[in-house]
Amino acid sequence: MCTSSDRSRPPPAVVVGADGFIGRHLCRALTDCGTSPLRCTRARPVVERGGLTRAAAGAEVFFYLASSVDLPSAAREPERGTADVRALEAFLRALGREGGAGRTVVLASSATVYAAEEAQPVAETAPTRPDSVYAATKLAMEERLARAARETGLRGVAVRLANTYGPGQSTRAGHGVIAHWLEAVAAGRPLRLVGSDRARRDFVFVQDVVDALVRMARQPVAVELPPVLNVGGGAPVSLRTLLDVVAATSATTPRVERRPARSTDRPSMWLDIDLARTVISWAPAVTLEQGIAMTWAGRHPLRPRS
């Protein structure tokens, strides 16, 4: 992501949601690139008394990764979605008071905002039709960012992420099939397969996501960023294929516990990432096999198949 010969350092940045899965990886990457970011969390907020904190006021780039609605099927928790939208609104108001023009806000959004019936792969121009509180919250946050960009002149881009996975992903929130399956294998429990194993998903390794985010931060202000940008793995993966890769990586034959599909589960979701290739010269570099191997190694020592 950054090498000793790479002289293009990201500008001073703030990571809101720095203690989250992607936030932790992003902070490490920015530090490796020579720019230690300001890490903002619930305990160390970016907004105080209606304004940006003194430490955040001079930043040029803000990565807004904070979210409390983490579960795509969390239909019983609309109040968390409302709180997330209000928190973003408060941040954008505070940024506007400081002068938003010339600053960049990169917002973590989700591929779940797209209409389920869209032809695959799904491009940024496809219709949106959220079918969960999680997706509706992400889309509402995108809309707030777009409005703030029009009103204050800031540069805002919502990054619609595919299923992001990698070392350190928590399973407590209930999402992340790869994290759940590897945890089950390590504990000797059966894997829970929800819906059909023919269902296709888009998986992207966390380091590839972070690479895309860092590339956005490096873009000069004069370079126009699109209001939304897909970041995904570049190819669909069936749950059957995923199961085979997990088995090969862990050198086990996992037991599978099958569960019926949920109302929010889609038979296929695969993002078109051509715009990211064009605008920020980005493409995923980590294959599914490589990513799962690194994720497995991060939670359980790799064992040769006997």
Side-chain angles (χ1 to χ4, degrees):
M1 189 173 303
C2 285
T3 66
S4 58
S5 61
D6 189 350
R7 300 181 184 275
S8 177
R9 294 183 178 181
V14 174
V15 178
V16 183
D19 56 355
F21 170 51
I22 297 175
R24 295 193 306 272
H25 283 272
L26 176 60
C27 287
R28 283 196 292 269
L30 289 170
T31 300
D32 290 344
C33 289
T35 304
S36 184
L38 175 65
R39 296 166 167 84
C40 292
T41 64
R42 288 187 178 89
R44 188 181 183 184
V46 67
V47 174
E48 288 182 346
R49 300 182 183 89
L52 295 180
T53 61
R54 182 177 300 179
E60 297 177 35
V61 178
F62 296 81
F63 296 98
Y64 199 96
L65 313 178
S67 176
S68 60
V69 181
D70 293 321
L71 182 60
S73 59
R76 296 183 302 276
E77 299 184 2
E79 66 278 3
R80 289 192 177 186
T82 300
D84 283 353
V85 174
R86 288 177 177 171
L88 177 63
E89 289 174 335
F91 161 71
L92 292 171
R93 284 195 301 269
L95 181 59
R97 293 189 187 102
E98 297 284 344
R103 301 194 191 193
T104 302
V105 177
V106 180
L107 173 70
S109 187
S110 168
T112 59
V113 303
Y114 290 115
E117 63 274 14
E118 280 305 301
Q120 311 291 308
V122 183
E124 289 86 350
T125 54
T128 55
R129 192 172 302 119
D131 55 9
S132 67
V133 170
Y134 174 84
T137 299
K138 293 299 185 183
L139 188 57
M141 294 172 75
E142 287 187 20
E143 292 166 350
R144 300 312 192 273
L145 177 60
R147 184 173 64 194
R150 291 192 301 269
E151 294 175 350
T152 68
L154 66 82
R155 215 172 40 154
V157 54
V159 185
R160 292 176 177 167
L161 297 171
N163 297 286
T164 305
Y165 73 98
Q169 185 175 23
S170 173
T171 59
R172 288 195 302 270
H175 62 89
V177 62
I178 291 176
H180 276 90
W181 282 8
L182 293 181
E183 181 181 69
V185 168
R189 300 193 306 267
L191 309 186
R192 183 175 297 175
L193 196 159
V194 180
S196 171
D197 61 8
R198 295 182 181 180
R200 300 192 304 170
R201 300 287 180 262
D202 190 337
F203 298 102
V204 59
F205 192 61
V206 65
Q207 289 180 4
D208 282 330
V209 169
V210 166
D211 180 36
L213 297 177
V214 172
R215 286 170 184 264
M216 290 179 211
R218 285 200 182 112
Q219 296 298 311
V221 175
V223 175
E224 185 176 356
L225 290 174
V228 295
L229 195 67
N230 287 343
V231 169
V237 177
S238 72
L239 294 182
R240 175 71 257 177
T241 297
L242 179 62
L243 182 61
D244 291 342
V245 175
V246 167
T249 301
S250 61
T252 63
T253 303
R255 293 173 293 143
V256 178
E257 178 184 293
R258 293 182 178 270
R259 296 288 183 90
R262 300 163 296 194
S263 60
T264 54
D265 290 328
R266 302 177 178 190
S268 180
M269 174 50 71
W270 170 31
L271 293 177
D272 184 329
I273 58 172
D274 283 348
L275 187 59
R277 288 190 176 99
T278 300
V279 174
I280 59 172
S281 302
W282 175 88
V286 179
T287 67
L288 183 70
E289 291 79 7
Q290 292 169 337
I292 289 181
M294 286 187 278
T295 306
W296 174 250
R299 68 152 32 262
H300 201 77
L302 288 169
R303 303 190 300 267
R305 186 180 291 276
S306 58

